[in-house]
Amino acid sequence: MNTPQADVTAPGEARTRVAEVPKIARERARAGWSRTRASALPALIMTVGAVLAYLIAHYALGHVGPIFAATSALIALGFGRDLTVRKVLEVSVGCTLGIVLGDLMVTFFGGGIWQAGVVLMASLLLARFLDRGVIFATQLGIQALFVVLLPAPIGGPFTRSLDAVVGGLVSLLMAALLPRDPRVQPRQDLERLVEAFSEMLRECAEALTESDSTRAWHALVRGRGSQSLVDTIRATLKTSSEVVTIAPAYRRFRGEIEDFARGVEYLDLALRNGRVVARRLTSTINNAALSEHAAESIAELLSDIAESLDFVAAGLSTRDREERRVSLRSARLMLEEIASRAHPKKLHVERLEGEALVILLRPMIVDLLEATGYDHDDAVALLPDL
């Protein structure tokens, strides 16, 4: 009697899954260690802010156990990616208002379950008005809830509101003097954007090589999905611009952030043109508009553009100024050579539809050249005349 296939393969599949456990554990450990390293400085700033607010409220104001001073500073200096003076002020005011609501409720209506429910509802709605973060709303609600349910402190109920003000002022001071490096988050966002752009171009190249229009469509979908990355990096750069304007420690990076923002705008234009190319590629493959030689040549061109993107990203975001200069020079040299090939005849294209595809590639190359610092006219001049 034959054994069912599922019964035969099940033990093997189980052993495979067991064998993958150490690999998964190592990957999780690496990811956790990476997050820990990235969070070390923010955690230190949060700790110092909370302790400092507590000490000021305790020793300078004479408050007993001013826990709300510490928690207010901790919430305002949280692990958010857009920590600026404006954002810290917004969170500090919201946190203080939540505690004030609790103090007002206790003062006029006393403490109790229904009072706690009213102040919790009001605090949660206030938090959602001020910030979209779910954790922020929860923390603010908990603070207001504690104010109503815990016994009134020595010194009167509004002592806790004053503690919250102290915590907010300390967090504002630390955000102004010791903000997070405004270049870190834009670098991480740029890496994700460039990775998505490169994958789209490489998938287009593979679609050409394999004459697979479905794969070209998948590349287009990938490109469209990457627009959210562009929106994210723009929001991050807005925050970084605020930091380099306000924080004395980072004003020297203003020019670097401006160059970075300029390069991202051209990358966005290049990505948009890349989506146009991917959409056209689907039709070109379906209509067999390219010879095998032409398809290989354009696929190689797309792969080279994808490779040049790594140098463009490094030239915009690498920490060391000399490394940025070298990377930008390498990107320019690669893109200059790519631009010199962007002509239908040099790519062995014979049919009109194939020529249209090459013509659509040219603006994308110009955008990438401008991202490396070229003027528009100089970038266009590098393309062969049609």
Side-chain angles (χ1 to χ4, degrees), residues 81 181-190 192 233 236 240:
R81 51 183 284 144
D181 192 331
R183 301 168 297 169
V184 173
Q185 194 61 54
R187 287 188 186 118
Q188 295 174 359
D189 292 340
L190 183 67
R192 294 169 58 209
I233 197 170
T236 303
S240 297

Side-chain angles (χ1 to χ4, degrees), residues 184-202:
V184 173
Q185 194 61 54
R187 287 188 186 118
Q188 295 174 359
D189 292 340
L190 183 67
E191 288 176 3
R192 294 169 58 209
L193 177 63
V194 168
E195 182 180 2
F197 195 177
S198 298
E199 288 178 359
M200 184 190 75
L201 294 177
R202 290 191 174 98

Side-chain angles (χ1 to χ4, degrees), residues 55-184:
L55 293 176
I56 291 174
H58 181 68
Y59 290 104
L61 301 181
H63 294 176
V64 178
I67 187 64
F68 287 97
T71 56
S72 297
L74 191 63
I75 292 173
L77 293 170
F79 282 114
R81 51 183 284 144
D82 54 348
L83 187 68
T84 63
V85 171
R86 178 187 60 80
K87 188 67 174 178
V88 169
L89 176 62
E90 185 178 275
V91 176
S92 298
V93 169
C95 190
T96 302
L97 286 177
I99 295 173
V100 169
L101 283 175
D103 278 336
L104 287 172
M105 181 63 71
V106 170
T107 301
F108 293 103
F109 301 102
I113 296 300
W114 74 266
Q115 294 92 335
V118 171
V119 78
L120 179 59
M121 183 68 176
S123 299
L124 290 175
L125 292 177
L126 174 65
R128 295 304 289 168
F129 175 78
L130 292 171
D131 191 281
R132 64 171 180 256
V134 177
I135 296 177
F136 170 65
T138 304
Q139 290 171 326
L140 186 53
I142 290 173
Q143 293 237 90
L145 196 62
F146 280 169
V147 170
V148 175
L149 296 179
L150 291 177
I154 299 173
F158 286 98
T159 300
R160 294 174 292 202
S161 297
L162 186 56
D163 289 341
V165 172
V166 171
L169 291 175
V170 169
S171 61
L172 282 172
L173 180 63
M174 297 199 69
L177 297 180
L178 296 171
R180 295 170 194 171
D181 192 331
R183 301 168 297 169
V184 173

Side-chain angles (χ1 to χ4, degrees), residues 190 193-194 197 256 258-271 308-317 324-325 327-329 331-332 335 363-376 378-380 382:
L190 183 67
L193 177 63
V194 168
F197 195 177
E256 186 177 336
E258 290 174 352
D259 291 342
F260 192 101
R262 177 180 178 275
V264 167
E265 289 304 313
Y266 286 115
L267 280 175
D268 179 29
L269 292 174
L271 180 57
S308 72
L309 281 170
D310 294 332
F311 289 98
V312 174
L316 291 174
S317 62
R324 290 201 304 272
R325 188 186 67 80
S327 296
L328 279 178
R329 177 170 174 77
R332 291 190 191 107
L335 288 167
M364 181 174 66
I365 297 171
V366 170
D367 292 333
L368 291 175
L369 283 165
E370 289 184 86
T372 66
Y374 264 97
D375 291 332
H376 179 74
D378 293 337
V380 171
L382 293 172

Side-chain angles (χ1 to χ4, degrees), residues 159-385:
T159 300
R160 294 174 292 202
S161 297
L162 186 56
D163 289 341
V165 172
V166 171
L169 291 175
V170 169
S171 61
L172 282 172
L173 180 63
M174 297 199 69
L177 297 180
L178 296 171
R180 295 170 194 171
D181 192 331
R183 301 168 297 169
V184 173
Q185 194 61 54
R187 287 188 186 118
Q188 295 174 359
D189 292 340
L190 183 67
E191 288 176 3
R192 294 169 58 209
L193 177 63
V194 168
E195 182 180 2
F197 195 177
S198 298
E199 288 178 359
M200 184 190 75
L201 294 177
R202 290 191 174 98
E203 196 160 12
C204 285
E206 292 169 1
L208 269 175
T209 303
E210 300 170 8
S211 191
D212 186 348
S213 61
T214 302
R215 193 155 194 169
W217 180 257
H218 288 165
L220 174 59
V221 173
R222 184 192 298 275
R224 287 173 174 168
S226 62
Q227 186 59 42
S228 61
L229 298 176
V230 176
D231 298 337
T232 297
I233 197 170
R234 279 184 174 144
T236 303
L237 283 169
K238 182 180 179 181
T239 298
S240 297
S241 297
E242 291 181 13
V243 171
V244 297
T245 300
I246 296 173
Y250 291 122
R251 282 179 187 163
R252 66 184 186 277
F253 298 136
R254 182 180 298 177
E256 186 177 336
I257 294 296
E258 290 174 352
D259 291 342
F260 192 101
R262 177 180 178 275
V264 167
E265 289 304 313
Y266 286 115
L267 280 175
D268 179 29
L269 292 174
L271 180 57
R272 292 174 187 270
N273 283 317
R275 292 198 291 265
V276 174
V277 169
R279 184 168 59 248
R280 184 71 181 186
L281 190 59
T282 304
S283 172
T284 303
I285 293 173
N286 282 333
N287 295 327
L290 296 172
S291 65
E292 184 177 348
H293 196 184
E296 290 176 355
S297 298
I298 297 176
E300 183 181 357
L301 187 77
L302 288 169
S303 296
D304 290 344
I305 294 173
E307 185 178 349
S308 72
L309 281 170
D310 294 332
F311 289 98
V312 174
L316 291 174
S317 62
T318 303
R319 288 178 178 273
D320 184 74
R321 180 178 296 180
E322 181 62 22
E323 289 183 19
R324 290 201 304 272
R325 188 186 67 80
V326 171
S327 296
L328 279 178
R329 177 170 174 77
S330 298
R332 291 190 191 107
L333 291 174
M334 287 188 68
L335 288 167
E336 287 169 7
E337 192 275 332
I338 290 168
S340 69
R341 292 150 52 197
H343 190 282
K345 290 185 178 179
K346 293 188 177 185
L347 295 170
H348 313 288
V349 174
E350 298 174 354
R351 292 181 56 178
L352 184 61
E353 190 169 356
E355 291 180 354
L357 178 63
V358 176
I359 290 172
L360 290 174
L361 278 167
R362 290 160 66 97
M364 181 174 66
I365 297 171
V366 170
D367 292 333
L368 291 175
L369 283 165
E370 289 184 86
T372 66
Y374 264 97
D375 291 332
H376 179 74
D377 292 339
D378 293 337
V380 171
L382 293 172
L383 296 170
D385 293 333

